[in-house]
Each structure stands twice: as C-alpha cells, then as structure tokens.
Amino acid sequence: MKKFKIFSLALVATTVANAQDLETAKKAIDAEQFEKAKSLLKSVIQAKPSNGRATFLLGNVYLKQNIADSATIYFQKGLTATEGAKFNNIGLGQMDLDANNLAAAKAKFDLVTKDLKKKDIEEYIYIARAYMNADKPNYKAAIEILNKAKLANPNDAQVQLALGDAYYGDKNQNDAYVAYRNAYQADNTLLRAKMQLGVLLKGAKAYTEAVKAYNEVIAINSNYGPVYRELAETYYLWGNNVPSTYTENIQKALGFYEKYMSLTDYSITSRMRHADFLILAKDYKALEVEANKMKEIDGVNPRILRYLGYSAYENGNIDAAIKALQDYTANTANKVIPRDFVYLGQAKIKKGTSEDGKSVDPTLLASAIEDIKRAVSTEPLVANELNELGKKLYDQKAFGAAAAVFEVAVSVPTSKNYLIDNFYLGNAIYYDNTRKDLAKPDPIALQKADVAFGNVIAASPNTADAYIFKARTNNLLQNDEVMAANYQLYIDTVTAKGEAEITKNKAKFIEAYNNMAAHFANTDKAKAKELFNKTLALDPTNNYATESLKLLK
C-alpha cells in the first residue's frame, strides 16, 4: 500500500510539473519566445508522450515559424495521444485553410466541437485563431465562433482578447477596443490585451498616443518583448507618414527592433522577421549583415537567398542579386512573393543599363518586364511600387525602358499612381520616338501613348500638358485633325487659368498656334493666317510664322 502511495505521489508531481511547463510555454509563446516555448513543450512530450495539448501547442509554434513539415509531424503525433488529442485537429484544420481546403478544415473543426461541454471554451478560441492565422484570414468566421465561447463565459480574458483580434482584423475598431479593454480588466496580467490598445492607436495614426500606451506596458514589465516590436513598427509608420520625422523615427524603429530581438530569441525564424523589418526600413547594409549571419546558422534555408538578393541589389552587387533571386524563384517549393520578382526584374534592368543610363539591353529588359508582369499578376498592389522604378529610368532618359515599366503599372486601373503613371507612359513613348538616332517613329507605340494621355484627360480634364503631349503624339502619327483639336484644348485649358499661366507657357502657345496654322493652311487659309498672327503677337520675330504668312498671301 505504501508503495502504491509513493507511485501515486510521483504521478501527481509529474502531472503538476507538466501542467506548469505548459503554462510557462504558453507565456513564452505570448512573449514571442518561440525557441524557449519549443524547448519546454518538447520536454513535456518527452516526459509524457500522451499529452496531446503539448503536441498541439508545439505544432502551432512551428506554424507561426512557417515550418509546416514539423507542424504536421506533431499534429499527427498528437492525434494518437490519450489526452487532448482533438486539439490537434485544429492545427491540421488551419493547414487545410492554408491549402484553401475549407471543407476539410470545417470537418476537422466539427470533430473538435462535436461533444463539447457547455463550459468548454478553449477549443472555440483555438479554432477562431486558426481562422485568423490562416494564410487567408477569415475574421467573420472567427467572430462567429468566439461569440459561442462568449455565451459560455462572457468574462473570460482569452475569449475577449481573441475577440479583440478578430474585430481588429475585421476593421471594427470600436468593438476591438471594447474587447481588449474587457480582456485586460478580466486579467490585468494579460499584457498583450493592454498592448493591443496601443496597436489600435497606431492604426489610427495617433502615434504619440500609441507610444504612450506602449510605455504603460513597459512600466509594468520592461521585459515584455512584443511591445518593442510594436514600438518599432509604430516609429516606422510615423516616419513614413510624417516625412520630416523619417530619419529620427527610422533610427528609433531599428533600435526598438533590436531590443525586441534581444528579449525574444536570435533563431533563424526570428532573424527572418528582423530581415523583413529591415527591408521595410530600407536598411540594406544591416540586411546584408543579417542575411550572412543567417547563412552561417542555416546555409540551406532557401529564404535566405531572398535577403541576400535584396541586399546585394541595394548595395550595388547586381550579379550576386540576380543569382540569388533566380535561384530562389526557380524553386517552386519556395514561398515566392511578388516583391522577389520585382527585385529580380530591377536587377536585370540595372545590369543591362548602358554607362550613360539612356538605354537598356533589349534581352535583359524583356526578361525583366516578364518578371515584373509576373509580380503584378500575382499581386496587383505591386503596381503601386513601379512608379519609382519607372521615374528613375525616365530621369535617366532611358525612355524605352521607362515606357515598358509604366505600361505594366497602368495595367492595374486601381493603382494609386494610375493617373501619373499614364502621363509618364505617354511622355516616355513620345520622347523615345523623337530620338535623333531613330529611323522612324513606331506608330503602334505612339498609339499607346495617345491612349495613355486620353486616360489622363478623362480622369483630370484640367491637366493642360496632357493635351499638348496628345497633340504632339498625333503630330508624329500624322493625325492632323486630332493634333489640332488637342492643341486648341491645351490653349483653352491654360487660358482659363489666367494671364500669368499664358505668359509662363508662351513657347507652348507658339508651338500650338504654328502647328494648328500649318494644318489649316491647305483647307482654311483665313484660319491659318489668324493663328500665325497670334504667334506673332506673342513673338514678333518668329521666323516660321513670318515666312508662312508670306506664302499664304
């Protein structure tokens, strides 16, 4: 009997220790100390292989780190556990969501909730988080599930925290605020809930107030790592939205991210998150250092090639950039993102650009444009980023290459730069067709320019230069009627803006009058004379107008 009691006490002690380790692991996960959490959970599983909750939590950590193979192994192992096995169906369900297999995910979630007791809410919380953490989040589904948990226990802090995250993801700031506030009131040790109140302020661009909210979290626990990541992201956004503060705030952002790293871990996945932030902050020197550190830690991880490629391009090592990004994008197993193709395209353009910057090797340009098109077809928002590349080429007077980039940009009418990109597209084509070394203009390209200027005029009828460039383009196309009509529209648009604008644009008025007069010379001599005389009123010494009037007498 005494022996049995000893065994019982040992079993109770082990159970208590495992439960404590699970709670410690959960706190480490919340603090984004993922390597620490993994170590704790592996210890629990080694001590008690039948603990399905531990395998589920461990699989979830691997999912957070984008290590799907390891996640699958632990979820599958957890299904055979004698305790908490059903939780692992939630993890596998999230992987189904990532694979866009919604029916399979729902079937697994239904298995989990099938025989739940009235007060069971943890399963609902994790299912809701699976919907939120999926590659394509479904916040409304998460809210619906969490409302079931809320009915069972409306004051549960974790339910309220999850609801806050779901409402925030669903862009419902008011309900998110209430839920986060409720979560912190229910459990004032739940620092993430308090931190999220600052995140809401960050989203509202109330940066000063957000920083104040984060500092309140730090005053409670200065070692809570995630708050420093939020500070980094807040200062990054602040710097980008208030350009006068950019230099100062980006430095603060980088400093806070380093603090975040020191309080979490320097694992390969953490370094990758850091690298992603360095890309946002455009600190490419630091990115190159981080990429090489990652290469030392895990030389076979393909994603490192992304960081090596980006930093090599930005730091001027174009051949290395092309090799790294070609190697990365060529492997279909890699999670390639549109930006990878944009960088690869930019690198090819850079490599093919002549010393004077005015031309790009046609073969490399064609290959680069295909890369950029692939990026835009995958994610149309990439079109927003092409303006900078196109303008750089335009400013170098590499008009053909600039036109090719802007043509991709305007293929997305919802782009925020659609109007200006159309204007640059038209201009680039026009200037490319007025080069001195060109045998003759390209009518197909010029027709694209004509359409581009038409798009600008349709969206912004007061953009005077769109009319004059449309007129010039049609002059090259020998569409004289359209040319004359647009020169007149240019004159009308500028004249409506006042005498000062006419004076400022005198040369363009003379160009318009002379070209319109030349058009009317064969059909309406009186109109032609009138226009030439308008030129002479602005410039009495204009030789073309003077000589043309002599011929019209």
Side-chain angles (χ1 to χ4, degrees):
M1 194 69 173
K2 287 182 180 179
K3 188 175 181 182
F4 176 75
K5 283 183 178 179
I6 291 168
F7 282 140
S8 297
L9 288 170
L11 181 62
V12 169
T14 302
T15 302
V16 170
N18 284 338
Q20 288 175 341
D21 282 346
L22 275 186
E23 288 307 309
T24 305
K26 285 180 182 180
K27 288 178 181 177
I29 292 169
D30 175 68
E32 298 175 20
Q33 296 170 334
F34 297 127
E35 293 305 308
K36 178 181 177 181
K38 282 159 63 175
S39 178
L40 286 165
L41 291 166
K42 285 176 182 177
S43 295
V44 172
I45 294 165
Q46 187 175 6
K48 190 175 182 182
S50 61
N51 193 322
R53 284 175 187 266
T55 60
F56 166 66
L57 290 172
L58 182 54
N60 256 1
V61 174
Y62 279 114
L63 277 188
K64 286 178 182 293
Q65 295 183 318
N66 293 312
I67 308 173
D69 291 347
S70 296
T72 302
I73 290 169
Y74 281 102
F75 290 143
Q76 293 289 356
K77 178 181 173 67
L79 287 178
T80 64
T82 55
E83 298 174 21
K86 62 183 176 181
F87 282 95
N88 293 276
N89 270 316
I90 301 173
L92 292 168
Q94 182 181 326
M95 298 185 79
D96 285 333
L97 292 175
D98 291 341
N100 208 30
N101 191 343
L102 307 187
K106 187 177 185 308
K108 289 181 175 68
F109 297 152
D110 287 345
L111 280 174
V112 175
T113 59
K114 183 179 177 183
D115 298 315
L116 283 185
K117 296 176 183 176
K118 188 176 180 181
K119 289 293 182 180
D120 288 342
I121 59 172
E122 191 177 10
E123 290 85 348
Y124 285 126
I125 294 170
Y126 281 121
I127 291 170
R129 291 213 171 275
Y131 276 112
M132 288 189 273
N133 294 333
D135 289 345
K136 294 179 181 177
N138 186 340
Y139 296 108
K140 292 190 186 304
I143 292 166
E144 183 180 343
I145 289 162
L146 287 166
N147 279 330
K148 294 178 182 178
K150 188 179 175 183
L151 282 174
N153 190 345
N155 297 318
D156 184 86
Q158 289 295 334
V159 171
Q160 290 294 333
L161 175 63
L163 266 173
D165 292 341
Y167 284 127
Y168 179 65
D170 202 38
K171 297 181 170 53
N172 183 340
Q173 300 279 96
N174 291 335
D175 285 344
Y177 174 84
V178 171
Y180 288 138
R181 184 196 61 197
N182 290 345
Y184 188 67
Q185 287 176 347
D187 179 1
N188 63 9
T189 68
L190 194 55
L191 289 183
R192 184 167 291 269
K194 186 170 179 60
M195 181 184 76
Q196 288 301 116
L197 294 172
V199 173
L200 291 175
L201 291 165
K202 175 187 73 173
K205 298 184 180 180
Y207 302 122
T208 302
E209 292 80 3
V211 169
K212 183 181 177 183
Y214 299 141
N215 284 334
E216 289 176 2
V217 175
I218 292 169
I220 298 168
N221 183 356
S222 61
N223 292 319
Y224 187 63
V227 74
Y228 295 101
R229 175 179 49 73
E230 290 297 344
L231 273 166
E233 292 176 7
T234 299
Y235 276 110
Y236 162 74
L237 290 170
W238 195 346
N240 275 274
N241 282 286
V242 186
S244 62
T245 70
Y246 182 83
T247 302
E248 179 186 356
N249 282 338
I250 288 299
Q251 288 307 307
K252 287 182 180 178
L254 292 168
F256 280 121
Y257 210 101
E258 287 293 341
K259 177 75 171 176
Y260 164 72
M261 292 284 288
S262 72
L263 290 169
T264 51
D265 57 55
Y266 284 93
S267 66
I268 189 69
T269 50
S270 293
R271 288 185 180 277
M272 284 181 178
R273 287 201 306 275
H274 185 211
D276 289 333
F277 186 77
L278 291 172
I279 291 168
L280 288 176
K282 299 182 180 179
D283 190 344
Y284 299 107
K285 294 292 183 185
L287 177 64
E288 190 168 18
V289 171
E290 188 68 282
N292 282 306
K293 283 180 181 175
M294 286 190 280
K295 195 174 181 181
E296 290 174 12
I297 296 169
D298 185 358
V300 299
N301 193 307
R303 193 165 143 196
I304 296 168
L305 291 170
R306 169 184 294 153
Y307 305 123
L308 289 170
Y310 288 15
S311 58
Y313 171 79
E314 296 291 351
N315 295 328
N317 192 347
I318 303 306
D319 288 335
I322 291 173
K323 184 179 188 316
L325 291 168
Q326 280 182 331
D327 288 349
Y328 185 68
T329 57
N331 189 341
T332 55
N334 293 336
K335 283 192 174 181
V336 178
I337 61 175
R339 189 183 293 272
D340 299 334
F341 288 110
V342 173
Y343 260 100
L344 180 55
Q346 288 182 130
K348 288 176 181 176
I349 288 172
K350 184 73 173 176
K351 182 175 176 62
T353 300
S354 61
E355 284 189 20
D356 64 4
K358 293 183 180 180
S359 63
V360 179
D361 176 83
T363 303
L364 282 170
L365 177 61
S367 178
I369 294 302
E370 284 306 308
D371 290 327
I372 293 169
K373 282 181 178 177
R374 188 169 178 180
V376 172
S377 67
T378 305
E379 176 49 78
L381 285 172
V382 170
N384 295 336
E385 302 177 22
L386 299 181
N387 180 267
E388 184 178 348
L389 172 61
K391 281 174 69 176
K392 185 176 180 181
L393 291 164
Y394 184 91
D395 291 341
Q396 292 170 194
K397 301 190 187 308
F399 297 119
V405 171
F406 284 121
E407 189 172 357
V408 180
V410 302
S411 67
V412 181
T414 54
S415 166
K416 67 178 183 180
N417 299 313
Y418 182 71
L419 187 62
I420 191 67
D421 286 349
N422 266 286
F423 188 75
Y424 271 110
L425 171 60
N427 270 19
I429 292 172
Y430 171 77
Y431 285 124
D432 194 46
N433 279 272
T434 55
R435 301 192 327 264
K436 291 179 181 178
D437 63 334
L438 190 68
K440 62 179 182 178
D442 179 353
I444 295 174
L446 287 167
Q447 285 163 11
K448 291 179 182 178
D450 185 55
V451 170
F453 291 128
N455 289 337
V456 176
I457 291 164
S460 180
N462 291 323
T463 305
D465 277 353
Y467 294 110
I468 199 165
F469 274 100
K470 188 172 173 69
R472 291 169 178 172
T473 299
N474 279 280
N475 191 13
L476 290 177
L477 284 166
Q478 298 181 357
N479 292 336
D480 291 350
E481 291 286 347
V482 179
M483 172 200 72
N486 278 280
Y487 271 129
Q488 186 59 56
L489 286 166
Y490 169 77
I491 289 167
D492 294 344
T493 304
V494 176
T495 300
K497 295 178 181 180
E499 193 64 36
E501 285 296 309
I502 296 172
T503 303
K504 191 165 71 175
N505 291 283
K506 185 173 81 168
K508 291 177 181 176
F509 268 63
I510 291 169
E511 173 194 334
Y513 288 140
N514 282 347
N515 278 292
M516 285 193 292
H519 164 62
F520 286 113
N522 295 321
T523 58
D524 189 341
K525 288 187 178 182
K527 180 71 172 175
K529 287 178 182 180
E530 178 191 343
L531 291 165
F532 280 131
N533 281 318
K534 286 185 177 183
T535 292
L536 292 173
L538 292 171
D539 178 14
T541 65
N542 188 276
N543 187 62
Y544 181 74
T546 301
E547 293 302 315
S548 295
L549 279 170
K550 288 177 183 177
L551 294 172
L552 287 171
K553 287 182 180 179

